Amino acid sequence: MTISEITPQEQAELDEALYDALNPVASAIRLRQAGLPADRMWDADPVDVALSVLAAWKVMDAEVKRLTAHAAATAGSYGASYEQLGAVWGITRQGARKKWPDAVRRATSATAGVSTLALFGGTAELVQAPSGEWSWTGVGADGASAANTDGASHPTAEEAAAHAGAYLKEHALDTDDGS
């Protein structure tokens, strides 16, 4: 048994959990389609009833795909490679890259995680950590310097730049035009 295979007991428990999750969705779909009172919504042509259950499975399938993509992106953000994602999913590295194209971050150069921001007469350097988080250090036009004044790292370069920009604005030299 491979690591991703499950035992017959686990399969039975999974089936039960999936049916428990499916029932409210199927009932809501069936209620909308039937046009009958709630206590009679399943009293219809068996084909219509079966199709409402199939419609509910389609909704669940889309949600599973969304959650799967999120799990792949999370694994990629922690450093998993497309080869590892593919191995877990039972597909090739190329298949994983096609299935989850944005799951693994690719560094384009040694300085891919470093950039400089110049605003209001000051400068800030944005640096990406191996974890993917961003931090900044800055020197304002008034000579004041700081690093992540709120003590936190940021999930994106844009968020780090916004915080650094606010710091640089706060430490800009006053001008005669009142800005």
Side-chain angles (χ1 to χ4, degrees):
M1 174 185 298
T2 65
I3 201 163
S4 60
E5 291 179 14
I6 60 176
T7 67
Q9 175 64 32
E10 291 167 334
Q11 182 66 55
E13 291 169 1
L14 176 61
D15 288 350
E16 183 178 342
L18 288 172
Y19 283 118
D20 287 346
L22 179 75
N23 281 333
V25 177
S27 293
I29 290 171
R30 184 72 213 127
L31 188 58
R32 283 193 300 274
Q33 291 176 343
L36 298 171
D39 62 336
R40 293 192 48 233
M41 71 178 166
W42 296 103
D43 296 341
D45 179 11
V47 170
D48 291 336
V49 170
L51 288 174
S52 65
V53 171
L54 181 61
W57 281 118
K58 181 180 186 292
V59 169
M60 301 247 332
D61 181 56
E63 184 63 10
V64 166
K65 286 178 181 169
R66 184 187 71 79
L67 292 172
T68 300
H70 181 73
T74 299
S77 75
Y78 285 116
S81 67
Y82 279 115
E83 185 175 357
Q84 291 171 307
L85 295 175
V88 167
W89 203 251
I91 57 178
T92 64
R93 173 184 54 79
Q94 294 88 347
R97 185 183 306 267
K98 185 176 179 182
K99 187 168 192 63
W100 306 296
D102 298 322
V104 175
R105 294 186 183 146
R106 294 180 210 112
T108 56
S109 72
T111 60
V114 177
S115 61
T116 303
L117 178 67
L119 290 172
F120 306 107
T123 59
E125 184 177 72
L126 309 175
V127 179
Q128 186 176 26
S131 68
E133 296 283 314
W134 288 82
S135 62
W136 63 270
T137 57
V139 177
D142 64 359
S145 63
N148 279 1
T149 57
D150 59 5
S153 57
H154 307 286
T156 65
E158 293 80 8
E159 187 175 322
H163 285 269
Y167 176 82
L168 295 175
K169 182 177 182 182
E170 188 178 307
H171 293 278
L173 295 177
D174 290 331
T175 61
D176 292 338
D177 63 3
S179 58

